[in-house]
Amino acid sequence: MPSFFHIIWTILSKDLRSERRSKEFIAVTASFGLLMLVIFNFAFTAIDQRDELGAGILWIAFSFAGTLGLNRIFSGEMQNGNFQALQMAPVDKEAIYFGKFLSAAIFMLLAECMLLPLYALFFNPSSSTGWLGVMTICMLGTLGYIGAGVIFSALAANSRLKDTILPVLLFPISIPLLIASVEATAVFFQGSSWNGAWDWIKIIVVYDLVVIVLGALCFEFILEE
């Protein structure tokens, strides 16, 4: 039987190869995120407190774009009975979860790397020294969002309304993560120190750990549904 890490690598490398050929995941997430940034930039041109608003706008773009991408994370497996093959494969289902989790997280982080410079161009944050903190929050927030998203994406994969079901399930459960991510990002956009964002960072880290651990433990039961 293949080892736990070999299964993770097999799934991850398969998704990376598929994305390299199609570029669907990154194209969808980056295009949608760019569209939202452009719209909000014109909508809030004359509004003060752009740093606070900008942090919320950035995470709206990330979350909606990530949800569009998550809708596609199992789309390849739905063809030719591959999803059923995953359900019946005599391997650790936790490894399948982590393989999908890593691939989706990589794709979303790549899309965010393309959106952050555009955000800086459109919204011109007050501080230019807090970008390390912003990128750290983006990484931590993405891990939690994808950790929950993979579970709900698998749950909705067999549904004809999966494009609707995923955001309905994912957004409510992600509210604590998104609030903490927005607040921590706003702190760094305003040029404050890490101490000002530390309480929010702790919430994000705890959320990530809980969601990822529970997601791995529950994934086997999700696949059986």
Side-chain angles (χ1 to χ4, degrees):
M1 180 181 296
S3 68
F4 185 86
F5 293 104
H6 179 72
I7 298 167
I8 294 176
W9 173 248
T10 299
I11 294 173
L12 175 60
S13 59
K14 187 270 295 180
D15 286 349
L16 293 177
R17 286 195 303 269
S18 298
E19 179 61 23
R20 185 175 59 185
R21 290 193 295 266
S22 67
K23 297 180 175 60
E24 292 180 353
F25 194 114
I26 295 177
V28 168
T29 56
S31 299
F32 187 79
L34 173 60
L35 177 63
M36 294 193 68
L37 289 180
V38 171
I39 292 173
F40 280 122
N41 177 60
F42 286 104
F44 294 111
T45 297
I47 302 294
D48 294 329
Q49 298 180 324
R50 287 171 68 89
D51 290 335
E52 294 90 336
L53 288 172
I57 291 167
L58 187 65
W59 277 98
I60 290 173
F62 286 167
S63 59
F64 275 80
T67 302
L68 287 178
L70 283 165
N71 269 323
R72 309 184 67 86
I73 197 64
F74 285 100
S75 61
E77 277 70 25
M78 298 309 296
Q79 302 172 5
N80 301 321
N82 289 339
F83 190 79
Q84 286 72 25
L86 281 180
Q87 293 175 310
M88 296 184 292
V91 298
D92 290 329
K93 300 303 187 289
E94 293 86 353
I96 298 176
Y97 170 81
F98 281 113
K100 287 295 183 182
F101 166 78
L102 289 175
S103 62
I106 289 172
F107 298 150
M108 188 169 174
L109 287 170
L110 288 174
E112 290 173 5
C113 288
M114 291 185 280
L115 293 176
L116 281 173
L118 295 172
Y119 173 86
L121 176 65
F122 292 147
F123 289 87
N124 191 24
S126 301
S127 174
S128 60
T129 61
W131 283 104
L132 177 60
V134 171
M135 289 186 288
T136 301
I137 298 303
C138 288
M139 182 184 69
L140 292 175
T142 296
L143 294 179
Y145 195 78
I146 294 297
V150 170
I151 286 292
F152 292 122
S153 181
L155 189 63
N158 281 318
S159 172
R160 292 179 297 176
L161 301 175
K162 64 178 181 178
D163 291 342
T164 303
I165 291 176
L166 178 59
V168 169
L169 295 175
L170 179 56
F171 287 152
I173 206 71
S174 300
I175 287 176
L177 173 71
L178 294 176
I179 291 175
S181 298
V182 168
E183 294 290 345
T185 302
V187 168
F188 289 115
F189 279 155
Q190 294 166 0
S192 300
S193 67
W194 286 79
N195 290 334
W198 184 239
D199 289 339
W200 298 112
I201 292 173
K202 288 189 288 187
I203 294 174
I204 298 171
V205 171
V206 171
Y207 183 97
D208 289 359
L209 292 174
V210 170
V211 165
I212 293 171
V213 170
L214 288 179
L217 294 176
C218 297
F219 195 68
E220 180 176 1
F221 304 102
I222 297 296
L223 285 182
E224 291 175 356
E225 291 295 329

